[in-house]
Amino acid sequence: MVSSEPACISDLEKAAEKVMQSGAWGYYDSGANNEQTKYDNVSAYDQYRLHPRMLRDVSQISTETTILGEKVRTPLGIAPCALQKLAHPQGEQAMSAAAAEHGSIMILSTYSTTSMEKVIAQADGNSYWMQLYVYENREVSEQLVRRAEANGFKAIVVTVDAPVLGRRLVDVRNRFIPLPHLRLENFMDPAVANAPGGYPPGAEYSEQETFGATFGANGDQSLSWENCIPWLKSITSLPIIVKGVLTAEDTALAIKYGCAAVIVSNHGGRQLDGALATIDALPQVVEAAGDEIEVYFDGGVRRGSDIFKALALGARAVFFARPVLWGLAYDGQQGAKLALDLLQNELELTMMLTGTRSIAEIDESYVYQPVPRWVRYESTKDAQGKKQRKLVAKI
């Protein structure tokens, strides 16, 4: 008898598309404009080849590592994604239960359809981080940060690649609007959002929830390193992680302003189309980070070997959203856990076949990297004021 259970993430993707409404599927699947970066995120891994070592004892392997000084079972983590009840009625609560069962870090989106209190209540020794957008009305952002810290979240992950929302043509064509019964519970009064019997009768949209429902319209487009990171550090003792870094220059600034880590991410290809695939951007960020700051990774992960390659190139943890969202749509908590298990098992298989027994052993010696495909120049002037073209980067 042939098993009908998905055998890989690609199978989960197909299964999820069959059960999701077209608008919801398009929201999760879409990239910006021509979706070049979305597709590059996935295909770029194929340009990297593995360099395995033989006759090593791999009878016992471990994926334990440390992230922000805390021991974790696995470097796999769940990236933030909004509106998870579009995929399944239990949404982020089911996702959190899967993360806890697997021992993975979960980053909760500001735009969660489940309150942060309900999400972290599923914890079983695993850590939770809170993703944050900084708004023109800083009071709204501050309330979210303080609420997350009070509820036991271990870090603030500030998204910096969305001063405005990217143009996602699939959503435009679908005229996508989230279903009206989905509430943004992190913007609600916690007493209402977390009422034991559900929302009290006649629970109206508050002014703050209406503010949240505008999504990117209230983002602070004047946000800068100078006015964002010091402000965040003044209102919380939690580590600040910057999500959306793709360059050595911004990594250096993250170090300068005292961030705990950066996440190499291009928002799943949903913001700036034409940006580098994250696996191609990773090496320059790792080199700039040195031993000063931890580097995490997000983008295009579909196989355990993708995770291995990112770890080999210097990522300390690897996050992903679409694979677990497909799992969530397919079978709720168990589907999300299946996605985590598939990637975990594939990572462990890759480790055994390359002769690596621990995460610490995985380094760039196990990966053949492609020769530089892109170069970047800057214009400078010599002592006489004559314009010169200077090669500054090869990727």
Side-chain angles (χ1 to χ4, degrees):
M1 181 177 177
V2 177
S3 171
S4 61
E5 183 173 87
C8 62
I9 297 301
S10 178
D11 288 351
L12 265 182
E13 180 180 8
K14 294 169 186 173
E17 186 174 11
K18 289 179 180 178
V19 299
M20 292 182 69
Q21 295 180 346
S22 61
W25 172 261
Y27 173 72
Y28 288 138
D29 183 62
S30 62
N33 295 335
N34 292 334
E35 301 188 329
Q36 175 189 341
T37 298
K38 185 191 89 166
Y39 289 113
D40 282 354
N41 271 356
V42 177
S43 64
Y45 293 100
D46 294 337
Q47 302 300 314
Y48 296 78
R49 298 291 189 268
L50 298 176
H51 180 73
R53 299 297 306 279
M54 303 303 163
L55 290 177
R56 290 183 169 178
D57 180 359
V58 291
S59 58
Q60 293 185 342
I61 65 169
S62 171
T63 60
E64 281 191 356
T65 188
T66 58
I67 299 175
L68 292 182
E70 180 178 334
K71 184 180 286 188
V72 295
R73 172 180 175 263
T74 175
L76 279 64
I78 297 175
C81 183
L83 306 176
Q84 291 183 23
K85 286 183 182 178
L86 283 172
H88 189 275
Q90 293 180 324
E92 294 85 358
Q93 204 160 357
M95 186 72 78
S96 177
E101 189 178 355
H102 190 260
S104 293
I105 293 172
M106 178 176 174
I107 308 176
L108 181 66
S109 170
T110 290
Y111 295 118
S112 170
T113 45
T114 307
S115 73
M116 63 179 77
E117 291 85 3
K118 292 176 188 173
V119 168
I120 203 167
Q122 308 297 316
D124 187 16
N126 61 315
S127 290
Y128 291 78
W129 300 348
M130 187 70 203
Q131 180 271 334
L132 179 75
Y133 291 102
V134 178
Y135 302 108
E136 283 187 308
N137 183 348
R138 292 289 178 91
E139 184 179 346
V140 175
S141 300
E142 182 173 346
Q143 287 175 1
L144 289 166
V145 169
R146 294 191 183 280
R147 183 173 163 190
E149 185 168 10
N151 278 287
F153 283 73
K154 296 289 185 68
I156 299 298
V157 179
V158 57
T159 296
V160 297
D161 60 2
V164 294
L165 287 181
R167 183 169 169 79
R168 300 155 195 174
L169 299 182
V170 173
D171 287 346
V172 173
R173 291 168 183 142
N174 286 339
R175 299 182 180 179
F176 174 73
I177 299 174
L179 299 175
H181 69 278
L182 298 182
R183 306 287 292 268
L184 297 176
E185 293 192 354
N186 288 330
F187 291 91
M188 296 172 67
D189 180 343
V192 175
N194 301 317
Y199 304 151
E204 300 290 336
Y205 277 78
S206 65
E207 181 178 347
Q208 187 153 313
E209 190 181 0
T210 302
F211 173 97
T214 61
F215 289 90
N218 291 303
D220 186 353
Q221 294 177 17
S222 71
L223 207 63
S224 67
W225 290 100
E226 294 82 1
N227 67 29
C228 175
I229 306 303
W231 173 75
L232 281 173
K233 291 171 76 71
S234 75
I235 64 170
T236 182
S237 62
L238 294 177
I240 306 300
I241 300 168
V242 178
K243 180 177 181 289
V245 169
L246 293 170
T247 65
E249 296 94 326
D250 284 334
T251 306
L253 286 167
I255 295 169
K256 175 182 176 180
Y257 284 93
C259 299
V262 296
I263 301 180
V264 178
S265 173
N266 54 32
H267 220 107
R270 293 163 62 81
Q271 284 296 104
L272 176 64
D273 197 28
L276 281 177
T278 48
I279 195 68
D280 291 329
L282 178 60
Q284 65 172 297
V285 173
V286 169
E287 182 178 9
D291 295 327
E292 299 295 320
I293 194 171
E294 293 191 353
V295 176
Y296 313 136
F297 178 83
D298 165 29
V301 170
R302 301 293 183 269
R303 299 164 297 195
S305 59
D306 298 340
I307 296 168
F308 184 95
K309 291 171 183 177
L311 294 171
L313 293 176
R316 195 167 190 88
V318 177
F319 293 87
F320 41 82
R322 287 186 177 105
V324 283
L325 285 167
W326 296 330
L328 183 69
Y330 168 70
D331 192 21
Q333 174 185 338
Q334 294 308 311
K337 175 64 163 47
L338 173 61
L340 289 164
D341 287 344
L342 286 169
L343 290 169
Q344 176 76 25
N345 292 340
E346 289 177 7
L347 171 61
E348 292 177 6
L349 177 63
T350 305
M351 290 174 65
M352 295 178 75
L353 292 176
T354 54
T356 51
R357 293 150 294 198
S358 68
I359 299 301
E361 286 186 0
I362 303 172
D363 62 27
E364 64 179 345
S365 69
Y366 290 92
V367 174
Y368 291 99
Q369 301 180 42
V371 297
R373 290 174 285 169
W374 297 285
V375 295
R376 187 168 65 84
Y377 293 88
E378 287 183 356
S379 295
T380 60
K381 291 183 179 180
D382 62 18
Q384 288 72 44
K386 184 178 179 181
K387 189 174 181 181
Q388 293 180 325
R389 189 168 177 245
K390 180 182 178 183
L391 176 64
V392 294
K394 292 182 179 181
I395 296 175

